[in-house]
């Protein structure tokens, strides 16, 4: 019954609120300075992915996936990258299509349930680096993609994948979208829509007629944006179909590698449906930890240092991989 009792320390007193911790981590965190080497991976469909590497010659690799409208150099990605480098891993942080600072080439983009690109990056990394083991780490929708990848077709997951850590995961997308639509979450939705609209305006210039410009300017929430673009351009009937089909919760029972889902109870993006307790009880490989405090990709530490999600990832991976506590490479 892998429902884990959380022993994470609390954030500073002023941040013991889901919104405060989310906003502090997203806007005020100073990222660690980490040297990264960028690689462009050309894809069979004519598009590309930009990858950021941090290598020390380890035989273990951590593959990181950011969240909605994030990128590989966001503070939460760099913080985890530094923590796992310190723990003896090489690190590869991938950018979803169109998220590296350059718009992708095709009329499509990325979506919350897309797993083919993760599979291609993983096989590329294994072929290039000759790694003995790989761990997958995903944040928010990057966590949803990671969980879907592990559960939708476990036979295609390479044997080198040894474990996974997924943080602040909206594993039930229909309910998470409804939660985001609340007035209290308007600031986050507006932030997402700002960059989503900008990218789609540019795509419309490259591909005239891709979407109706007037409808695009009238978009006021994520459901409307997904109805206009994400769903029809990625093979879904509409936004409602997309949210159901792309959710990872229905496939959690099939995951075969030790996987930690770390979702805070005060995450403003996550309703009760995003805490898969029944699935964790039924699958000995799925570990669910639900601390009271943490916000969305927050987990601010009580004092300067690694964030609580980063130290928790280190601890979990050390235990399931049978590594010493210091996890030296």
């Amino acid at each position: 019954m892998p429902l884990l009792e959380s022993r994470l320390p609390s954030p500073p007193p002023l941040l013991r609120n889901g919104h405060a911790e989310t906003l502090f981590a997203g806007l005020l965190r100073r990222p660690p300075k980490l040297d990264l080497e960028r690689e462009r991976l050309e894809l069979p469909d004519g598009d590309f992915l930009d990858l950021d590497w941090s290598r020390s010659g380890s035989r273990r690799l951590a593959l990181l996936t950011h969240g909605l409208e994030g990128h590989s150099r966001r503070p939460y990605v760099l913080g985890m990258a530094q923590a796992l480098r310190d723990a003896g891993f090489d690190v590869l942080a991938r950018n979803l299509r169109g998220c590296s600072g350059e718009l992708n080439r095709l009329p499509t983009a990325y979506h919350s349930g897309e797993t083919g690109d993760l599979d291609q990056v993983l096989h590329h990394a294994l072929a290039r680096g000759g790694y003995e083991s790989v761990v997958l780490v995903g944040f928010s929708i990057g966590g949803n993609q990671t969980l879907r990848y592990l559960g939708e077709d476990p036979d295609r997951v390479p044997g080198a994948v040894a474990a996974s850590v997924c943080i602040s995961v909206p594993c039930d997308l229909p309910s998470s979208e409804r939660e985001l639509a609340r007035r209290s979450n308007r600031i986050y939705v507006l932030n997402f829509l700002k960059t989503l609209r900008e990218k789609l305006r540019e795509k419309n210039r490259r591909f005239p007629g891709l979407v109706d410009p007037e409808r695009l300017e009238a978009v006021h929430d994520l459901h409307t944006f997904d109805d206009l673009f994400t769903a029809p351009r990625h093979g879904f009937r509409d936004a409602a179909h997309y949210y159901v089909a792309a959710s990872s919760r229905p496939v959690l029972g099939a995951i075969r590698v030790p996987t930690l889902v770390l979702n805070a109870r005060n995450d403003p993006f996550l309703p009760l449906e995003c805490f898969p307790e029944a699935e964790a009880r039924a699958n000995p490989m799925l570990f669910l930890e639900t601390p009271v405090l943490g916000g969305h990709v927050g987990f601010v530490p009580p004092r300067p240092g690694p964030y609580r999600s980063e130290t928790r990832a280190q601890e979990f991976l050390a235990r399931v991989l049978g590594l010493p506590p210091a996890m030296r490479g």
Side-chain angles (χ1 to χ4, degrees), residues 13-278:
L14 291 179
L15 298 181
R16 293 177 187 179
N17 168 280
H19 294 291
E21 197 166 358
T22 301
L23 292 169
F24 180 91
L27 299 176
L28 299 177
R29 180 178 185 179
R30 295 181 180 179
K33 295 180 180 180
L34 189 65
D35 290 332
L36 298 171
E37 174 192 351
R38 176 147 292 186
E39 176 189 12
R40 175 154 292 184
L41 176 62
E42 296 289 339
L43 300 173
D45 64 6
D47 216 335
F48 68 91
L49 295 172
D50 284 333
L51 314 177
D52 281 337
W53 290 86
S54 178
R55 285 176 282 208
S56 62
S58 175
R59 304 298 292 169
R60 299 190 299 272
L61 175 70
L63 172 52
L64 278 53
T65 303
H66 62 78
L68 180 65
E69 287 304 279
H71 52 76
S72 62
R73 302 191 182 194
R74 290 290 298 273
Y76 65 87
V77 178
L78 293 178
M80 183 65 75
Q82 184 65 67
L84 295 180
R85 271 297 306 268
D86 291 345
F89 290 87
D90 279 5
V91 175
L92 169 56
R94 70 181 182 115
N95 289 281
L96 303 181
R97 298 192 190 206
C99 290
S100 64
E102 180 178 337
L103 198 63
N104 65 305
R105 298 175 186 141
L106 300 183
T108 53
Y110 68 91
H111 65 80
S112 299
E114 201 283 324
T115 59
D117 286 354
L118 175 55
D119 187 61
Q120 293 208 51
V121 171
L122 178 55
H123 280 89
H124 170 74
L126 287 170
R128 177 173 176 178
Y131 293 102
E132 295 175 354
S133 63
V134 181
V135 300
L136 306 180
V137 180
F139 303 89
S140 194
I141 70 157
N144 188 73
Q145 289 182 339
T146 301
L147 293 173
R148 275 207 66 86
Y149 176 67
L150 293 173
E152 67 183 1
D153 184 5
D155 289 335
R156 78 164 170 167
V157 178
V161 175
S164 177
V165 176
C166 296
I167 297 163
S168 302
V169 187
C171 57
D172 184 85
L173 292 169
S175 64
S176 181
E177 186 276 326
R178 290 192 297 271
E179 195 73 13
L180 272 170
R182 291 178 178 271
R183 185 186 299 271
S184 59
N185 286 326
R186 187 65 181 159
I187 186 173
Y188 309 113
V189 172
L190 291 175
N191 185 58
F192 291 140
L193 287 177
K194 181 178 184 296
T195 54
L196 287 168
R197 280 202 201 95
E198 288 172 354
K199 291 177 182 178
L200 194 46
R201 290 187 192 108
E202 177 59 29
K203 278 187 179 290
N204 233 16
R205 286 190 282 270
R206 296 187 187 184
F207 304 98
L210 184 66
V211 298
D212 181 339
E214 292 186 2
R215 288 185 63 194
L216 176 59
E217 296 311 315
V219 166
H220 61 280
D221 57 36
L222 291 174
H223 193 284
T224 307
F225 182 89
D226 291 332
D227 251 341
L228 176 65
F229 173 72
T230 312
R233 282 293 160 181
H234 298 94
F236 304 99
R237 291 191 303 272
D238 53 24
H241 176 224
Y242 159 50
Y243 297 145
V244 171
S247 293
S248 60
R249 185 164 186 173
V251 304
L252 294 180
I255 291 176
R256 298 176 184 171
V257 301
T259 295
L260 172 66
V261 176
L262 183 65
N263 282 1
R265 290 285 175 181
N266 71 342
D267 188 322
F269 294 15
L270 304 184
L272 289 176
E273 292 88 340
C274 291
F275 296 85
E277 294 185 2

